[in-house]
Amino acid sequence: MDTLQTIKDILEEQLDIESENVNEDSTFDSLGIDSLDSVEVFVELEDRLDISLGNPEGLETIGDLIEYIENL
């Protein structure tokens, strides 16, 4: 499964962020994602990808999140 597409789907479903506005260079701030939103997104990612993200820190962009997931 394409991690970027999964993230786009979750952001669209949970936060009403249009997927065409999301790319690897998008920052969480530019998308209006606060810390509470990110926790909800991370929980959904864990469920859909059957992974445990732990406590990711220092992630600023969607690309950072994808890299973090791919290095688990």
Side-chain angles (χ1 to χ4, degrees):
M1 173 171 275
D2 180 20
T3 305
L4 177 58
Q5 188 59 52
T6 301
I7 293 168
K8 286 180 174 188
D9 292 345
I10 291 169
L11 293 177
E12 190 159 23
E13 292 165 14
Q14 292 193 343
L15 304 177
D16 293 323
I17 297 172
E18 295 185 25
S19 62
E20 59 266 9
N21 294 331
V22 179
N23 61 56
E24 291 189 21
D25 295 325
S26 301
T27 65
F28 293 101
D29 286 341
S30 71
L31 296 171
I33 300 171
D34 62 23
S35 59
L36 181 58
D37 293 333
S38 65
V39 169
E40 292 176 16
V41 170
F42 293 168
V43 168
E44 186 63 25
L45 275 169
E46 288 178 329
D47 289 345
R48 290 195 193 188
L49 300 177
D50 195 29
I51 59 173
S52 176
L53 290 174
N55 189 18
E57 294 183 9
L59 304 179
E60 294 184 17
T61 68
I62 298 299
D64 292 342
L65 177 57
I66 292 169
E67 183 178 342
Y68 180 84
I69 290 169
E70 291 176 352
N71 288 318
L72 288 176

